[in-house]
Amino acid sequence: MTNNMRRYGIAMLLVFVFAFAKAQTNPNKTLPKAEREYDKYAFIDSREIFEKIANKGFKSVEIFSKLGDTYYFNNDYQNALKWYNQLFKLDNDTIPSEYYFRYAQTLKSDRQYAKADRLLKTFAVKGEKDSRLQSLENAPNYLTIVDFQKGRFEVEPVSINTNYQDFGTAYYGPAQVAFASARDTGVFYKRRHSWNEKPFLDLYVADRDQQGNMSNVQKFDSRINSIFHESTPTFSKDLNTVYFTRNNYEDGTLGKDDERVSRLQIFKSERKNGKWSEPQAVEFAEGGFSTSHPALTPDGKTLYFSSDMPGTMGTESTFKETDIWRVTIEDDGSYSDLENVSIVNTEGRESYPYISRSGNLYFASNGLQGLGGLDIFVSTINKDGSLSNPVNIGEPANSPDDDFAFIVDESVNTGYFSSNRVSQGENDDIYRFVQIEDLRETCEQIITGTVTNAITKEALEDAMISVVDINNNIVVTRRSDRNGKYALKLECDKTFFIRAEKREFNTAEELVNTPTTTGVIEVDLALDPESYKGRVGDDLAKLLNLNPIYFDFDMSFIREDAELELQKVLSVLEDNPTMTIDIRSHTDSRGTKSYNERLSDRRAASTRNYLISKGIDEARLTSKGYGESQLVNKCSDGVECTEEQHQDNRRSEFIIISM
C-alpha cells in the first residue's frame, strides 16, 4: 500500500436566483371604470389602527408590543415606555423574551435604573429558555467557514520534488527535514507495488533554511529503510528515537494477517552510539488492523497516530477508514491509555496527525467538511487533554484535491504539507509555506437572512440591517441586496438583536444568542408596511395580516379573540368611508353540506351585524356563507383531521368590493 491518496470530488450545487419585475400600467381615463377602480388604493396606517383599538379599552400582547415598537424603533423611548408599561401590566407568560430587553432600555431613558437592571436579569434567563434560541442550532455552511480562513499562507512546491511520490515531512533537528519518497530504491530497477505499480517508498533527509527551502537530499539510514514501504517519521526532541510507518516487515519477511493482507504498522527505533537499532513494531500496533502516521507531542509523552483498529468510527463501512488515536508513553517506554480522539473523528478518514509546539493538533480528514479529498484541519489541545472542535485551515493550503501531512515551525512561521493537486491525484508533492497570519478566531458566527415584505412576501432591497448588543450599541450595519439578502459576522457566545429597517415599513427585530462553536445562523426578517395598499378584490384579512376570525364548533357568536381582529377591520372602514366589503364565512366539513351553508350564513351575518352595531352603514356590508365548499386543507368528509386542522377551515374573509 502506498500513500498515494485517492481523490474525492465535491459536487457543487449552483443555485440561480431569478428576480422578476412586475410591469404596472398607469391609470388612464380611457380605461373601463372597473379597471380604474382596481388601481385605486386605500392607505391603512397600522399605528392608528392599534391606537384606536387600545383607546377603546382592548388589551393584548400584540396591541401593546406593536404600539411600543412603533416608537421604540424611532428612538421615541418615552412613548415606547408608555405602551411597554401597559404590556407588562398584563403579566402574560407569552410576552416574547426580547421585550424584557426593550422595556429595560426605555426604563433607562426614564432613569429607572434599578427596575431596568431587574428586567435585564430576567431577560438573560428568558433568553436562554426562548424556544427560538433552542432551534438556532449550529448549522455550518462549509464553504463560508472554509473561506473565512482563506489567505493565511503563501504556498509553493519545493524544488526537490520528483515525478514520483514525495510527501510526509518531519522535522529532523533544527536544520533538516525527513520525508518519504519513491525516487530511488538503490537497485538496478525500481521495485513496484503490485497493487498500483508504483515504486516502493523510502525515507530521505534534506537540509532546510529558515524560509523552508530544501536541498541536498540523501537517503536516511539503511537500518530504517527496507525493501518495502517506509514513510511518515516522527522524532523525539533529542533525535534518538524515531517512530515511522512501514509495511508489516520484520526479519526480512513481509508479514500478512489472516486475510493475507500486509497491514501498515508503526515501528520504533532508537539510536545508541550513533547507530539506529533494528526497528520493532510497537506493541499496540499488533493485530489485524493498520496503524500509521505517528506523531509525538513536543514533550515526547504522547504519541498520536491513525488506525482502523476496533473502536474506529469508520470500521463498519465496506472500506475501512481510519481515526486519529493517541497513546501515553510511560517513563519505562511502555504504552498505556490508548484513546480514540473522538472529537476530531468521523466515519470518513482522519490521518496524518501533527502536534505543534503551541499545542495544536493538525490532521487530514475527508469526513469533515472541506474543499474536496483530504483537507487539513486544526484542533487545539487543552491542558487537560481535551480538544477544541476542528477548524478547516482554508485555502491555499487546502484545495479540491488531497492535502495532508501538515507540519509547522512556529518560531519562524514556516512549514510543509503534501498534496496531489498538480498531478490530478497521481503523485504527491511537498509544498512549503509561510504563515502570514495566525489562525483566525476559531469561533465566528455567520448571520445570513432575507428581508421581506410581511404581507406580499416580496424581497426588500436596501433595507438597513443593524446588529445591536445588549447595551443597545450598534455593532455593525449592512444593506440588503436586490434579492433582500444580507450576511455578516458576529462573535460567539453573545446576545445580539438583528434589526431591519426600511422607509415606509415598521422595524423588525430578532433576538439571537450565538453558539459557542463556529457556524451559520439564518435570521429572516419580515417587515410590516406602515400602511397597507388595498384594492378592489383584496382580502382585508390578508392585508392586515389578521389572526383568523375563528368561531367555535357549531356556533356563530363573536368570540373575544375574534372581536379584537374585527376592531382592525372596523378601523379600516372608519378611515375609508366609501369602502364596501363582502364578508365571506366558511365552515369545516363536519355536518351536512346544507347545514354548513346555513351555519356559515349565520356566521357571516353575525360578523356583519357586529360591524353595523359599531356604526358602519349596513349598505357598505354584504355577507354570504360558503359552508364547506372552499376548504383550505385536505379535511373533507371522511378524512381524519385534528381539531386545529378543522378550525383552519372555520374562517372569515373581508373582500373589498369598491373604494
Side-chain angles (χ1 to χ4, degrees):
M1 176 178 177
T2 71
N3 285 276
N4 184 44
M5 299 295 163
R6 183 177 180 180
R7 179 177 181 176
Y8 291 81
I10 289 183
M12 306 301 295
L13 176 63
L14 301 179
V15 180
F16 295 91
V17 180
F18 296 91
F20 294 88
K22 183 187 293 185
Q24 180 178 341
T25 304
N26 291 326
N28 189 297
K29 292 183 180 181
T30 62
L31 290 175
K33 180 180 179 181
E35 293 187 36
R36 295 201 304 272
E37 194 71 16
Y38 185 83
D39 284 329
K40 188 176 179 181
Y41 293 98
F43 292 90
I44 305 158
D45 188 277
S46 58
R47 179 187 290 178
E48 288 183 6
I49 291 173
F50 283 109
E51 285 188 335
K52 281 185 178 181
I53 296 172
N55 290 333
K56 291 178 181 179
F58 287 91
K59 301 177 180 180
S60 76
V61 171
E62 179 192 21
I63 291 173
F64 296 142
S65 62
K66 288 191 173 181
L67 275 173
D69 287 350
T70 62
Y71 292 104
Y72 179 83
F73 291 122
N74 285 299
N75 299 320
D76 186 349
Y77 294 127
Q78 288 303 304
N79 274 313
L81 178 59
K82 168 187 172 181
W83 294 112
Y84 289 156
N85 276 329
Q86 296 298 315
L87 173 65
F88 278 82
K89 284 180 181 179
L90 296 176
D91 193 24
N92 194 312
D93 289 337
T94 65
I95 297 174
S97 58
E98 58 260 42
Y99 283 94
Y100 287 78
F101 173 80
R102 295 178 195 172
Y103 188 26
Q105 299 307 314
T106 60
L107 287 167
K108 287 181 179 180
S109 72
D110 199 44
R111 298 182 180 274
Q112 299 184 52
Y113 296 112
K115 188 174 181 179
D117 289 344
R118 291 195 297 271
L119 261 292
L120 286 174
K121 290 179 181 178
T122 306
F123 162 73
V125 175
K126 288 274 185 179
E128 291 175 0
K129 296 180 180 179
D130 192 292
S131 62
R132 291 167 300 163
L133 301 182
Q134 297 294 325
S135 66
L136 288 177
E137 298 291 341
N138 183 25
N141 178 323
Y142 70 91
L143 291 178
T144 304
I145 301 301
V146 173
D147 186 65
F148 181 58
Q149 299 290 345
K150 184 176 181 179
R152 297 190 304 111
F153 301 96
E154 293 177 350
V155 169
E156 68 175 13
V158 297
S159 60
I160 56 92
N161 285 324
T162 66
N163 293 328
Y164 300 99
Q165 296 280 91
D166 301 289
F167 72 95
T169 49
Y171 291 117
Y172 186 50
Q176 288 188 301
V177 177
F179 63 98
S181 179
R183 64 185 61 203
D184 177 22
T185 60
V187 295
F188 181 72
Y189 62 94
K190 291 187 181 293
R191 292 174 290 104
R192 296 178 182 270
H193 197 289
S194 61
W195 182 58
N196 60 6
E197 286 301 309
K198 290 187 177 294
F200 281 82
L201 299 162
D202 277 337
L203 294 182
Y204 290 77
V205 66
D207 296 334
R208 69 174 176 112
D209 60 23
Q210 286 196 342
Q211 288 71 45
N213 296 301
M214 297 170 65
S215 61
N216 191 27
V217 177
Q218 299 178 21
K219 264 197 170 183
F220 200 66
D221 194 274
S222 60
R223 282 183 175 267
I224 304 299
N225 288 324
S226 71
I227 62 172
F228 295 104
H229 287 304
E230 286 81 28
S231 69
T232 54
T234 183
F235 298 91
S236 61
K237 188 175 182 179
D238 62 9
L239 302 182
N240 288 328
T241 301
V242 61
Y243 294 88
F244 62 95
T245 305
R246 178 193 275 181
N247 290 102
N248 183 10
Y249 171 79
E250 289 187 274
D251 299 325
T253 303
L254 182 65
K256 296 183 180 180
D257 62 16
D258 294 339
E259 299 177 13
R260 300 195 61 75
V261 175
S262 177
R263 306 288 182 183
L264 296 178
Q265 284 189 312
I266 295 173
F267 282 74
K268 175 185 176 182
S269 178
E270 294 183 304
R271 182 163 54 182
K272 295 180 180 179
N273 300 320
K275 294 184 178 180
W276 290 104
S277 65
E278 186 68 28
Q280 301 292 321
V282 296
E283 59 191 52
F284 60 82
E286 296 175 352
F289 50 83
S290 288
T291 56
S292 58
H293 314 316
L296 281 167
T297 53
D299 62 9
K301 295 180 179 181
T302 305
L303 185 71
Y304 283 74
F305 61 96
S306 62
S307 177
D308 61 0
M309 65 174 56
T312 297
M313 295 179 66
T315 52
E316 299 302 318
S317 61
T318 302
F319 298 99
K320 290 185 177 182
E321 300 287 13
T322 58
D323 280 355
I324 303 296
W325 292 76
R326 64 184 174 188
V327 65
T328 299
I329 302 174
E330 303 292 351
D331 291 340
D332 62 0
S334 61
Y335 306 98
S336 64
D337 302 325
L338 184 65
E339 177 189 1
N340 183 299
V341 188
S342 57
I343 194 170
V344 304
N345 291 320
T346 70
E347 285 76 14
R349 181 194 308 167
E350 281 74 43
S351 57
Y352 296 97
Y354 171 77
I355 301 87
S356 71
R357 292 196 176 277
S358 64
N360 289 324
L361 167 64
Y362 292 89
F363 65 98
S365 173
N366 64 7
L368 296 169
Q369 294 170 337
L371 297 175
L374 290 169
D375 268 25
I376 301 163
F377 292 80
V378 61
S379 179
T380 300
I381 305 172
N382 301 313
K383 291 182 179 179
D384 62 358
S386 62
L387 287 92
S388 65
N389 289 314
V391 176
N392 190 303
I393 68 171
E395 295 181 284
N398 285 324
S399 73
D401 296 285
D402 288 323
D403 307 290
F404 56 99
F406 180 100
I407 67 172
V408 61
D409 181 348
E410 292 166 332
S411 66
V412 290
N413 288 325
T414 63
Y416 305 92
F417 67 91
S418 305
S419 178
N420 60 10
R421 63 185 64 185
V422 171
S423 59
Q424 290 75 50
E426 285 300 313
N427 284 315
D428 303 318
D429 288 321
I430 298 169
Y431 290 76
R432 73 177 184 94
F433 66 81
V434 177
Q435 183 171 322
I436 57 178
E437 184 181 348
D438 289 339
L439 187 72
R440 292 163 189 155
E441 179 61 44
T442 57
C443 188
E444 289 278 344
Q445 292 300 314
I446 309 299
I447 310 295
T448 64
T450 305
V451 185
T452 59
N453 183 317
I455 305 303
T456 66
K457 312 304 179 186
E458 295 175 331
L460 294 180
E461 182 181 3
D462 202 37
M464 173 64 75
I465 313 300
S466 302
V467 178
V468 183
D469 66 17
I470 197 169
N471 295 315
N472 212 30
N473 298 314
I474 294 178
V475 177
V476 65
T477 60
R478 290 287 187 277
R479 293 277 183 179
S480 59
D481 65 17
R482 66 177 184 177
N483 297 313
K485 297 189 177 299
Y486 73 93
L488 47 86
K489 295 175 183 177
L490 295 179
E491 294 181 62
C492 291
D493 199 23
K494 299 284 186 182
T495 297
F496 297 101
F497 293 92
I498 312 300
R499 180 182 298 173
E501 301 170 275
K502 186 172 175 62
R503 187 177 179 182
E504 299 183 351
F505 287 86
N506 292 319
T507 300
E509 187 176 75
E510 287 289 338
L511 171 69
V512 172
N513 271 8
T514 55
T516 58
T517 55
T518 295
V520 178
I521 301 174
E522 187 169 348
V523 180
D524 294 329
L525 296 156
L527 307 189
D528 288 313
E530 289 180 346
S531 62
Y532 307 99
K533 296 179 180 180
R535 298 187 290 190
V536 171
D538 285 346
D539 181 4
L540 283 178
K542 293 181 179 178
L543 287 176
L544 298 173
N545 203 19
L546 294 184
N547 295 314
I549 308 295
Y550 287 134
F551 293 88
D552 290 327
F553 176 61
D554 203 30
M555 298 293 179
S556 58
F557 64 84
I558 302 298
R559 289 177 11 175
E560 184 178 348
D561 58 343
E563 185 178 8
L564 178 59
E565 301 308 310
L566 288 176
Q567 284 291 318
K568 302 173 187 176
V569 177
L570 179 62
S571 293
V572 173
L573 291 171
E574 290 172 342
D575 290 343
N576 295 271
T578 62
M579 179 187 288
T580 64
I581 63 172
D582 181 35
I583 302 165
R584 301 175 183 179
S585 182
H586 306 268
T587 69
D588 60 40
S589 63
R590 293 177 292 185
T592 66
K593 290 185 178 180
S594 60
Y595 176 79
N596 284 334
E597 286 180 4
R598 294 193 300 272
L599 176 62
S600 62
D601 266 331
R602 293 199 304 272
R603 289 176 173 172
S606 178
T607 303
R608 179 174 181 265
N609 290 335
Y610 175 84
L611 294 171
I612 292 172
S613 72
K614 300 300 179 182
I616 302 302
D617 187 345
E618 64 182 39
R620 298 172 61 194
L621 306 170
T622 58
S623 64
K624 179 177 174 58
Y626 290 83
E628 60 183 272
S629 64
Q630 297 181 10
L631 302 177
V632 297
N633 54 32
K634 65 179 182 179
C635 300
S636 58
D637 290 337
V639 177
E640 185 175 348
C641 289
T642 64
E643 176 59 32
E644 290 76 13
Q645 290 172 316
H646 282 303
Q647 186 161 268
D648 286 342
N649 290 311
R650 302 195 299 272
R651 69 196 190 280
S652 294
E653 299 170 320
F654 304 87
I655 307 302
I656 301 174
I657 301 302
S658 68
M659 300 295 294

